[in-house]
Every structure is written in structure tokens, then in C-alpha cells.
Amino acid sequence: MFNNVIVRVPSKSISEGITSAHEGKPIYEVALVQHENYVSALTKCGVEVTVLEPKEEFPDSCFVEDVALCTSKCAIITRPGAESRREEAQLEDMHQALSKFYENIEKIEEPGTIEAGDIMMVGDHYYIGLSERTNQEGANQMISILEKYGLSGETVSLDEMLHLKTGLAYLENNNLLVAGEFKNKEAFDKFNKVEVELNEAYGANCIWVNDKVIVPEGYPNVQSKIENLGYEVLTVDTSEFRKIDGGLSCLSLRF
């Protein structure tokens, strides 16, 4: 169960965020409303939400998931692979927010790079995607820190997706949403895999929060498959964040 969530309000500079999508620039005013609806959905899941102020100098800073991993034992400050996001991981208000909840705060050091969008938690075990943003050194450091606290981790190679959680979502109870290259990854064979079609691949980035599942709006097949597993589904429009390669999980730290 999750008790707390940290989010950051999008900045007006969001239109300058890093993107590989070809869907135009996000509209700030619309992104702001979508973010408010996202926070509202989280609140319905029974968590306390800490809302951090926008940071104009960091267009991608609403994607707080990438700058820290929050575990049951410690928080780990990452070192993002995207150079323009490195300083985000050092923002004082994020460190202050984490220190309210964690006595133990660790951090990844150079030359390691890792973004927590590449990390999927399954109980006390963490799957770490090796991607353009997360290198082997970063993964090794992360696994070493996890093991220090009695947790564990393993790496999974990525060939197509930006982040591990771009195409995966663990919904607890052994249920795993899988899209694209992850459908046949041996590492996930033990799960009850729920396959997401290519045309709804973006919808695979859902988040389980206390027996409810928040699903991006506009992906009816994904929504139906999750409802058929017995979960209550909440939908949130994240279309503006999709324009800069962001999804539901990217927008919060949940612990």
C-alpha cells in the first residue's frame, strides 16, 4: 500500500521539454488542468499528496519519477541520463520533501546514470532497464544500494522503448501489463502477462495505487483488460505530457 505521493506542478516552460514524439508542443494551460486532475485521482486512492512548486528552468521537472527511487527502506537520488535533467535531481525542495519521509537518503554517483522511469518495483525486487538514459554503472550502483537495505534488483536490456516503464506496469497480484518488446522478455515469464496492442501501447503506462489503477484516458482496450482483472479503474487525460514522452507513472513518486 502507498501512503504518500510527491508531484511537481508543470512549469510554463513545459513546451521546451525533451521529446521524441511528433505530436506538437504541450499547451501549458491544458497540461496544468490535466495535472490537477491527476492529483485528484491520486487523492481518491487514499494517499497524501505533496505538491512541489514548478521550476521554470527545468521544462521536464514535472516528471518527478525520474529523479528519485522511493523504496520501503530508503530514497535514492538518481543521476539522470538526460544531461539537461541532471540538476533536477539536486533540487533542494525535492530533497526537503524526501527527508520528511526518509531517514536514509542515498545517491547515484558519476559515471553512473539512471532514471527511475527505468525501474519497476515488484515487492522488494526491482527490475532495472538498461536504456539510453540508464547505464550499467548506474544500475550496478542502484542494485548495490538496494542490497544494502535487504532489497534486490536485476537488469533488463531495452532495444526499443525509452524507459522500462514505457511498456510495463506492475498491477500487483502477479499481474503485469506488457507492450512491445517486453511481451517476450524471459525476465517476465513468471507473471500473468496482460498484453497491450501496439495501437494502445502508450496506455500500458498505468499506475496501481492501493487497489485502484489509474489509466490514461483514450485507451479503451487497456481499460477493459484491467477492469476484467477486477480492479477499479480511474482515467486521467495525459495527452499533453505524451507530447514530451511522459506518462502517468512519470508524474509522481509513490511510496
Side-chain angles (χ1 to χ4, degrees):
M1 299 291 280
F2 296 131
N3 298 311
N4 296 288
V5 171
I6 297 173
V7 302
R8 187 184 295 283
V9 177
S11 61
K12 290 177 182 173
S13 61
I14 190 173
S15 60
E16 304 310 312
I18 305 167
T19 184
S20 61
H22 302 283
E23 302 190 19
K25 291 181 179 287
I27 300 163
Y28 166 67
E29 292 79 8
V30 180
L32 209 53
V33 172
Q34 290 183 358
H35 195 266
E36 286 169 0
N37 292 338
Y38 177 73
V39 172
S40 175
L42 286 165
T43 303
K44 289 174 186 171
C45 298
V47 294
E48 290 287 326
V49 182
T50 299
V51 181
L52 303 180
E53 293 296 310
K55 292 290 183 185
E56 293 300 330
E57 63 271 40
F58 299 111
D60 294 287
S61 57
C62 58
F63 300 133
V64 290
E65 178 182 59
D66 286 322
V67 300
L69 179 69
C70 293
T71 78
S72 57
K73 308 285 179 64
C74 64
I76 304 159
I77 304 297
T78 67
R79 185 170 179 268
E83 242 176 279
S84 63
R85 302 196 64 193
R86 295 259 165 91
E87 288 182 40
E88 269 181 58
Q90 308 305 321
L91 286 171
E92 191 176 334
D93 62 346
M94 174 60 79
H95 288 226
Q96 286 174 345
L98 290 170
S99 65
K100 288 179 184 174
F101 301 104
Y102 288 99
E103 283 183 27
N104 301 311
I105 299 180
E106 306 275 355
K107 68 175 185 174
I108 303 298
E109 304 283 359
E110 190 177 353
T113 64
I114 193 162
E115 296 183 5
D118 277 321
I119 305 176
M120 182 176 73
M121 177 182 77
V122 178
D124 287 338
H125 188 69
Y126 293 78
Y127 292 89
I128 302 171
L130 297 175
S131 69
E132 286 187 12
R133 304 283 184 86
T134 295
N135 64 19
Q136 187 70 55
E137 172 62 24
N140 290 346
Q141 287 185 38
M142 182 63 74
I143 291 169
S144 177
I145 294 168
L146 291 169
E147 290 176 345
K148 175 180 166 182
Y149 290 93
L151 307 170
S152 58
E154 68 180 272
T155 58
V156 179
S157 61
L158 271 69
D159 301 309
E160 300 161 19
M161 299 281 188
L162 172 68
H163 281 139
L164 186 78
K165 283 190 289 198
T166 303
L168 287 174
Y170 185 58
L171 305 180
E172 303 297 316
N173 308 311
N174 206 48
N175 295 316
L176 183 69
L177 281 187
V178 292
E181 65 181 294
F182 300 122
K183 290 181 180 180
N184 301 311
K185 287 279 186 190
E186 201 176 307
F188 307 121
D189 283 350
K190 68 181 180 183
F191 295 101
N192 172 39
K193 290 192 279 190
V194 181
E195 295 195 0
V196 176
E197 294 81 2
L198 187 63
N199 66 330
E200 289 201 7
Y202 178 82
N205 184 247
C206 303
I207 51 174
W208 176 96
V209 186
N210 302 342
D211 292 328
K212 293 181 173 64
V213 179
I214 304 177
V215 178
E217 190 176 281
Y219 301 89
N221 292 330
V222 174
Q223 182 175 343
S224 175
K225 287 181 178 187
I226 294 170
E227 287 172 339
N228 289 341
L229 290 170
Y231 298 101
E232 181 183 341
V233 167
L234 303 174
T235 60
V236 176
D237 187 354
T238 54
S239 55
E240 296 307 302
F241 301 100
R242 182 179 182 174
K243 293 175 181 177
I244 50 170
D245 298 337
L248 280 169
S249 71
C250 316
L251 288 164
S252 60
L253 291 168
R254 304 166 298 281
F255 52 97

